[in-house]
């Protein structure tokens, strides 16, 4: 089997597994305990936090270990909104966020917050001018993902960050679960206040998330308990998994540049292959680094819009008129593991919320397939995939529901 | 501004004729240490000044390091350009624009060393000055007391332009003014006292008193960490003497003189410090005392405590307010460690109402009745555990676990 579902989860490094089991075996003491063993556990946590701080060019104390991306996103959004509701009860996010952001915002809505869900263009990009015009005196938080997990559109985080720098009262949260290790992340330069990452997306263990909380940003904890993680995230720390996660982040971020180059090559190849099959429609932009310019309202005066780019490891396409589950099962018969929508919501039958937000037809939005690469993929795997895709399409062609092809 | 060079001015030691050569060599060594991570940067020594040529290395990072080199009075980022009028004028503008705060008044001082340059100094003052004035409508010339002096030096190899003057740490190069023993408790004050002493050129060794099991391993770690931080400024390894104080403390506590116990403890500590000073040839004892801050730091207490030693007691913080001490602690990076909540052996035995005005005769009498006090002090000196803490050494948290876990 060739596992093309790295956006859902990744195979952990052997090194990571070894670290996890060795630390589990030796350092089972509770980091809050006073004795020597407790202190050793505590220092392992400190060293892990120090490493994470260093990797992101931030202070160690600005990082909170959580149980995963979902918890980090919830803590960032709900925690920041509730804490700063005296300043305003308006939150800006996009229509294409991961459910852990989207539903956290829905929850805030039920608590009386006003949420603006920014639209995206047909390629899946939020526009800077939309962010700007959505801002009000009441806005306390803007949450935009770095890389969309379904189509791979890279959002203009740097530009939004510099827009928000002038507005001191608005916190900026970025869900970076899909970007860490694939793209450069410069939290301080970009003016990011809160940032989410997840270990199991970078070949680390399940059950560890990171939340960057810039020094000075106040959050309300979601859970009550023993005051761990600076009171933000009570519960006995998962020391072994955290150490292993720190290692996974180190490896992932160390190889980021090289990985970006390599995967862009793989992506271009797959995009070309999809383009040659008339039944398939690519979702998002074709080229990984397309220089398409955003039609900003004020773009002309600034001499151009913002570069629109796609992440190197995600390709999303639709087979309108074909149930995506059937497509995925047929691919599996040919040793290819792929995904429909995001794994978290792939079991329900509705069209993809993200593809719909991009303005795609119902048929296209209901038939999306996602291929996402990892480090183990090279020319051989891509060759196989590019041979199988037309084959699978030709096998499925008789089952096409013609009326639904737009 | 993209600085090409850094001009370094020495501090007060330039006044001292005889030791000057030695001081300058120490300074040069220390500056070279700062430049170690930046291999392309070159340092050259001229009369009374040092020049760093950056060759593309980052000014900001190097400036950060230079700010803590003792003996540097101030330094300036310098632009180097071709000796051509128009270029000099343009770069002068850039230099003025790069100032952290826009000045209201300025003057131009041109030195024409290269006499083949077509305009003489007064003419150049005018040509550069009027060019700058045109670009900054709110700026005025003030020849007598300008906020900013824009310096232009036309040398045979090119023209140097600078205006920003960054204040350095001042003082004397480390270890050029003799050696003293620092009492290092782990609190906020004593590391600051150590820093200020080193800034005045004192070479230091540190003494810490612990009373395990009344104090914890973490308290010891904390002091090692503080010493590590201080060694960053000395630039050479620092010795840290760990003295076991448990036996003496227990004996003092047994006298049932609760209000006097801190006085008694401090006297014994000074005697131990004196013993250690004699062994290592230190000629003074540095403490973090600040007048009136706590009961043992009233004039009355200091009189009774200080009489137990013949060595000069140096108290750099004696007339400083707590806020100023904290500010320095934050600047030198010891504050966060100092406030970690681990008991040291003084805080643990603080009586409810310590005396602020002990009686020397009474204190001496109590000491005379304590069996084996002199022997215990001699034993404490003999059984000292000396740790050498090097500037580049890792903090204990950075050393946690096994390296291959991270």
């Amino acid at each position: 089997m060739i596992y093309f579902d790295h956006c859902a989860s990744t195979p952990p490094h052997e090194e990571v597994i070894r670290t996890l089991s060795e630390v589990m075996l030796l350092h089972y003491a509770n980091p809050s305990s006073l004795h020597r063993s407790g202190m050793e556990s505590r220092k392992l946590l400190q060293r892990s936090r120090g490493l994470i701080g260093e990797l992101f060019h931030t202070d160690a104390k600005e990082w909170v270990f959580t149980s995963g991306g979902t918890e980090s996103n919830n803590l960032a959004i709900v925690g920041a909104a509730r804490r700063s509701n005296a300043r305003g009860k308006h939150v800006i996010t996009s229509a294409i966020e991961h459910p852990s952001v989207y539903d956290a915002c829905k929850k805030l809505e039920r608590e009386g917050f006003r949420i603006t869900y920014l639209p995206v263009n047909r390629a899946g990009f939020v526009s800077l001018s939309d962010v700007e015009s959505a801002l009000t005196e009441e806005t306390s938080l803007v949450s935009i993902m770095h890389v969309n997990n379904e189509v791979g559109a890279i959002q203009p985080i740097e530009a939004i960050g510099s827009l928000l720098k002038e507005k001191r009262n608005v916190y900026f949260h970025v869900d970076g679960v899909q970007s860490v290790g694939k793209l450069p992340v410069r939290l301080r330069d970009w003016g990011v206040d809160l940032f989410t990452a997840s270990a199991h997306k970078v070949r680390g263990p399940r059950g560890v998330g990171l939340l960057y909380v810039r020094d000075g940003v106040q959050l309300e904890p979601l859970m009550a308990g023993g005051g761990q993680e600076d009171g933000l995230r009570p519960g006995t720390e998962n020391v072994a998994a955290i150490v292993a996660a720190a290692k996974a982040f180190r490896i992932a971020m160390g190889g980021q540049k090289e990985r970006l180059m390599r995967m862009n090559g793989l992506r271009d190849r797959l995009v070309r292959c999809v383009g040659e099959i008339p039944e398939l429609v690519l979702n998002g932009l074709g080229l990984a680094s397309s220089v398409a310019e955003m039609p900003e309202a004020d773009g002309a005066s600034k001499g151009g819009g913002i570069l629109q780019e796609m992440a190197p490891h995600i390709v999303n396409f639709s087979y309108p008129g074909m149930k995506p589950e059937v497509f995925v099962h047929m691919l599996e018969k040919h040793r290819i593991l792929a995904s429909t929508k995001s794994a978290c919501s792939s079991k329900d039958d509705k069209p993809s919320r993200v593809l719909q937000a991009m303005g795609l037809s119902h048929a296209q939005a209901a038939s999306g397939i996602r291929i996402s690469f990892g480090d183990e993929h090279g020319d051989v795997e891509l060759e196989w995939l590019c041979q199988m895709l037309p084959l699978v399409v030709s096998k499925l062609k008789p089952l096409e529901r013609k009326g639904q092809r737009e | 501004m993209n600085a090409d060079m850094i001009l370094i001015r020495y501090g007060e030691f330039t006044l001292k004729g005889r030791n000057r050569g030695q001081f300058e060599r120490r300074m040069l060594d220390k500056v070279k240490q700062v430049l170690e991570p930046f291999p392309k940067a070159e340092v050259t020594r001229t009369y009374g000044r040092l020049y760093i040529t950056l060759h593309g290395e980052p000014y900001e990072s190097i400036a950060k390091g230079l700010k803590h080199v003792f003996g540097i009075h101030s330094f300036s980022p310098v632009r180097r350009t071709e000796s051509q009028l128009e270029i000099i004028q343009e770069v002068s503008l850039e230099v003025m624009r790069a100032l952290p705060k826009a000045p209201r008044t300025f003057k131009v001082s041109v030195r024409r060393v290269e006499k083949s340059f077509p305009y003489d100094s007064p003419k150049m003052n005018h040509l550069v000055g009027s060019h700058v004035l045109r670009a900054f409508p709110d700026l005025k010339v003030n020849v007598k007391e300008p906020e900013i002096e824009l310096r232009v030096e036309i040398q045979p190899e090119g023209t140097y332009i600078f205006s920003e003057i960054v204040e350095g740490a001042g003082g004397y190069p480390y270890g050029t003014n003799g050696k003293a023993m620092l009492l290092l408790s782990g609190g906020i004050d004593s590391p600051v006292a150590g820093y200020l002493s080193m800034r005045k050129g004192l070479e230091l060794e540190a003494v810490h008193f612990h009373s395990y099991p009344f104090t914890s391993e973490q308290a010891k770690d904390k002091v090692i960490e503080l010493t590590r931080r201080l060694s960053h400024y000395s630039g050479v390894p620092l010795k840290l003497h760990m003295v076991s104080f448990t036996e003496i403390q227990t004996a003092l506590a047994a006298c049932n003189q609760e209000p006097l116990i801190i006085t008694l403890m401090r006297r014994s500590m000074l005697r131990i410090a004196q013993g250690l000073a004699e062994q290592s040839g230190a000629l003074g004892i540095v403490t973090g005392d600040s007048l009136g801050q706590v009961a043992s730091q009233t004039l009355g207490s200091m009189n009774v405590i200080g009489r137990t030693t013949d060595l000069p007691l140096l108290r750099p913080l004696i007339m400083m307010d707590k806020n100023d001490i904290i500010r320095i602690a934050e600047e030198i990076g010891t504050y966060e460690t100092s406030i970690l909540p681990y008991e040291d052996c003084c805080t643990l035995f603080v009586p409810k109402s310590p005396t602020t005005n002990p009686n020397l005769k009474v204190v001496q009498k109590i000491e005379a009745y304590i069996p084996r006090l002199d022997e215990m002090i001699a034993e404490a000196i003999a059984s000292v555990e000396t740790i050498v803490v090097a500037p580049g050494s890792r903090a204990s948290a950075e050393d946690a676990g096994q390296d291959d876990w991270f």
Side-chain angles (χ1 to χ4, degrees):
Chain A
M1 285 294 171
I2 311 177
Y3 180 80
F4 280 116
D5 199 12
H6 278 251
C7 277
S9 198
T10 56
H13 275 286
E14 270 178 47
E15 288 269 278
V16 166
I17 298 172
R18 188 179 55 77
T19 296
L20 183 73
S21 73
E22 286 179 15
V23 178
M24 253 180 119
L25 195 67
L26 293 170
H27 295 282
Y28 44 82
N30 190 319
S32 298
S33 294
L34 263 182
H35 46 68
R36 176 176 297 274
S37 297
M39 187 167 83
E40 283 167 3
S41 293
R42 187 155 60 248
K43 281 186 181 166
L44 284 171
L45 271 185
Q46 278 179 33
R47 185 168 177 183
S48 307
R49 206 184 307 276
L51 176 57
I52 297 291
E54 212 174 283
L55 288 172
F56 287 91
H57 304 290
T58 50
D59 282 350
K61 61 173 188 200
E62 294 176 305
W63 291 90
V64 179
F65 292 117
T66 68
S67 66
T70 290
E71 186 188 336
S72 293
N73 280 340
N74 271 270
L75 178 56
I77 291 165
V78 178
R82 282 188 188 157
R83 176 72 189 222
S84 45
N85 72 357
R87 287 206 315 260
K89 299 189 89 172
H90 178 227
V91 175
I92 299 173
T93 185
S94 83
I96 57 162
E97 298 297 315
H98 185 267
S100 58
V101 169
Y102 194 79
D103 289 346
C105 287
K106 290 280 175 207
K107 177 167 157 184
L108 286 175
E109 235 169 355
R110 289 193 294 275
E111 288 177 18
F113 286 83
R114 194 166 69 78
I115 316 285
T116 302
Y117 299 93
L118 296 176
V120 293
N121 65 10
R122 276 188 82 83
F125 294 87
V126 167
S127 111
L128 182 63
S129 59
D130 282 350
V131 179
E132 196 167 6
S133 52
L135 284 168
T136 69
E137 290 294 307
E138 296 282 287
T139 310
S140 62
L141 175 71
V142 174
S143 176
I144 304 287
M145 67 198 335
H146 191 185
V147 166
N148 175 267
N149 54 308
E150 284 190 41
V151 294
I154 304 172
Q155 304 303 325
I157 297 306
E158 186 172 6
I160 299 172
S162 63
L163 169 73
L164 295 176
K165 267 180 195 164
E166 293 150 29
K167 320 219 179 272
R168 291 257 160 105
N169 285 334
V170 184
Y171 287 154
F172 184 27
H173 169 247
V174 174
D175 171 3
V177 166
Q178 296 295 352
S179 66
V180 173
K182 277 88 182 179
L183 300 174
V185 173
R186 300 199 308 274
L187 300 177
R188 291 240 168 113
D189 294 352
W190 295 348
V192 173
D193 299 307
L194 296 154
F195 184 84
T196 297
S198 166
H200 80 100
K201 308 285 193 193
V202 295
R203 307 189 62 189
R206 212 69 52 83
V208 180
L210 304 179
L211 181 62
Y212 168 73
V213 184
R214 181 182 56 74
D215 189 25
V217 171
Q218 304 278 331
L219 297 182
E220 189 182 295
L222 302 182
M223 291 187 286
Q228 289 91 342
E229 296 296 296
D230 214 8
L232 280 176
R233 205 274 172 176
T236 301
E237 300 89 338
N238 190 354
V239 176
I242 287 170
V243 174
K247 185 187 197 106
F249 278 109
R250 183 180 60 69
I251 298 172
M253 293 177 74
Q256 179 266 323
K257 266 190 200 147
E258 190 264 329
R259 182 176 302 110
L260 175 63
M261 298 259 288
R262 214 178 60 80
M263 285 190 174
N264 267 336
L266 301 181
R267 187 178 187 281
D268 286 348
R269 176 148 187 209
L270 177 56
V271 164
R272 247 179 289 128
C273 157
V274 169
E276 283 161 13
I277 306 172
E279 287 79 5
L280 303 184
V281 209
L282 191 77
N283 300 319
L285 292 173
L287 292 168
S289 52
S290 153
V291 199
E293 281 180 355
M294 205 175 269
E296 294 289 342
D298 55 352
S301 61
K302 283 184 192 159
I306 289 159
L307 191 69
Q308 292 189 349
E309 291 178 294
M310 300 298 285
H313 61 304
I314 306 175
V315 173
N316 189 309
F317 55 83
S318 291
Y319 186 168
M322 185 58 55
K323 265 184 130 0
E325 291 78 1
V326 181
F327 201 114
V328 165
H329 292 151
M330 192 60 109
L331 282 173
E332 189 169 340
K333 274 195 168 173
H334 296 84
R335 301 203 297 118
I336 290 163
L337 301 181
S339 192
T340 70
K341 298 197 256 183
S342 84
C344 301
S345 46
S346 57
K347 284 189 202 119
D348 60 40
D349 214 23
K350 284 178 255 157
S352 148
R353 166 170 57 79
V354 172
L355 296 183
Q356 279 186 313
M358 288 161 61
L360 307 183
S361 68
H362 186 276
Q364 196 175 335
S367 60
I369 304 290
R370 180 183 69 187
I371 303 282
S372 47
F373 313 126
D375 287 343
E376 75 273 27
H377 300 143
D379 289 334
V380 180
E381 288 77 15
L382 259 286
E383 182 61 40
W384 179 257
L385 177 60
C386 291
Q387 278 177 21
M388 288 309 112
L389 274 181
L391 189 75
V392 166
V393 168
S394 68
K395 283 187 178 169
L396 290 175
K397 184 94 177 150
L399 303 171
E400 215 176 81
R401 293 152 100 181
K402 294 249 159 35
Q404 284 189 15
R405 273 198 72 96
E406 232 145 328
Chain B
M1 174 172 107
N2 290 319
D4 303 305
M5 299 177 75
I6 303 175
L7 160 64
I8 298 173
R9 302 171 196 85
Y10 297 161
E12 47 192 301
F13 69 84
T14 48
L15 301 170
K16 291 187 141 192
R18 267 184 301 170
N19 293 331
R20 188 185 170 123
Q22 184 209 345
F23 284 1
E24 286 197 10
R25 273 194 302 282
R26 292 263 183 133
M27 282 274 312
L28 186 65
D29 287 347
K30 193 66 224 260
V31 169
K32 280 184 178 162
Q33 251 177 43
V34 170
L35 294 179
E36 236 162 52
F38 310 99
K40 278 183 270 166
E42 272 180 300
V43 59
T44 43
R45 187 171 146 188
T46 64
Y47 185 79
R49 285 177 172 189
L50 290 176
Y51 285 94
I52 298 170
T53 311
L54 293 172
H55 294 304
E57 299 285 9
Y59 165 73
E60 293 297 337
S61 314
I62 293 174
K64 227 174 165 181
L66 290 177
K67 274 188 192 165
H68 293 298
V69 176
F70 300 134
I72 292 182
H73 178 255
S74 66
F75 59 90
S76 297
V78 179
R79 280 291 303 269
R80 181 180 164 163
T81 71
E82 281 174 58
S83 296
Q84 263 188 38
L85 178 62
E86 293 77 18
I87 299 176
I88 291 172
Q89 284 177 327
E90 274 322 297
V91 174
S92 297
L93 273 189
E94 278 176 43
V95 168
M96 288 297 286
R97 285 203 185 98
L99 286 171
K101 186 173 153 277
R104 277 165 304 180
T105 58
F106 88 120
K107 82 168 186 183
V108 183
S109 305
V110 178
R111 254 182 81 211
R112 187 184 60 156
V113 179
E114 174 57 53
K115 298 298 177 195
S116 70
F117 189 76
Y119 309 97
D120 64 11
S121 300
K123 182 77 185 150
M124 274 304 283
N125 279 338
H126 177 72
L127 286 170
V128 174
S130 57
H131 189 76
V132 171
L133 283 172
R134 272 195 295 277
F136 295 88
D138 297 332
L139 190 64
K140 294 205 165 49
V141 174
N142 182 339
V143 184
K144 281 204 182 112
E145 286 183 317
E147 270 178 49
I148 286 293
E149 188 174 352
L150 177 65
R151 307 278 299 270
V152 179
E153 291 194 9
I154 303 163
Q155 298 278 0
E157 68 275 15
T159 296
Y160 301 102
I161 305 174
F162 60 93
S163 62
E164 188 184 351
I165 293 179
V166 183
E167 218 179 299
Y172 301 91
Y174 179 74
T176 51
N177 265 337
K179 182 172 150 189
M181 195 61 68
L182 167 71
L183 300 192
L184 191 61
S185 67
I188 296 169
D189 298 342
S190 50
V192 175
Y195 171 82
L196 293 176
S197 312
M198 293 195 298
R199 194 175 77 162
K200 274 294 181 186
L202 267 185
E203 181 185 347
L204 287 186
E205 290 184 14
V207 195
H208 177 72
F209 299 91
H210 64 87
S211 15
Y212 201 77
F214 300 114
T215 57
S216 64
E217 278 289 301
Q218 281 112 291
K220 187 174 159 186
D221 265 5
K222 182 176 159 181
V223 172
I224 294 174
E225 173 58 24
L226 290 171
T227 309
R228 200 176 68 87
R229 195 64 210 159
L230 289 178
S231 73
H232 178 73
Y233 301 107
S234 65
V236 294
L238 290 181
K239 276 187 186 163
L240 170 61
H241 304 287
M242 305 295 266
V243 177
S244 170
F245 203 59
T246 318
E247 199 188 357
I248 296 172
Q249 195 162 10
T250 315
L252 296 177
C255 306
N256 284 324
Q257 296 287 341
E258 201 184 83
L260 281 174
I261 188 151
I262 301 288
T263 312
L264 292 163
M265 279 168 56
R266 300 290 292 179
R267 280 173 62 92
S268 289
M269 287 178 179
L270 277 188
R271 290 176 65 187
I272 294 169
Q274 171 164 287
L276 292 169
E278 278 162 7
Q279 282 180 3
S280 62
L283 300 179
I285 296 173
V286 178
T287 75
D289 293 335
S290 179
L291 187 61
Q293 183 170 253
V294 290
S296 63
Q297 296 174 17
T298 60
L299 190 57
S301 284
M302 283 193 290
N303 175 37
V304 171
I305 293 167
R307 275 173 198 259
T308 196
T309 173
D310 303 324
L311 287 176
L313 280 165
L314 307 175
R315 300 177 166 108
L317 314 182
I318 193 70
M319 297 304 174
M320 281 171 78
D321 286 344
K322 192 75 184 183
N323 285 344
D324 296 325
I325 299 170
I326 289 177
R327 188 179 44 77
I328 299 176
E330 285 173 335
E331 272 169 28
I332 63 174
T334 54
Y335 182 73
E336 300 231 325
T337 306
S338 287
I339 58 171
L340 291 175
Y342 308 122
E343 307 279 355
D344 69 30
C345 58
C346 285
T347 54
L348 206 71
F349 281 79
V350 174
K352 279 192 203 87
S353 55
T355 176
T356 54
N357 194 13
N359 182 308
L360 182 61
K361 291 230 169 70
V362 173
V363 169
Q364 284 169 336
K365 206 162 211 170
I366 295 167
E367 284 177 343
Y369 280 110
I370 297 173
R372 294 189 62 249
L373 181 61
D374 292 347
E375 286 97 317
M376 286 191 291
I377 286 174
E379 279 164 22
I381 296 170
S383 64
V384 69
E385 180 200 352
T386 300
I387 304 169
V388 178
V389 184
S393 63
R394 301 201 289 183
S396 71
E398 290 168 348
D399 224 8
Q402 301 170 11
D403 281 352
D404 66 353
W405 287 348
F406 288 89

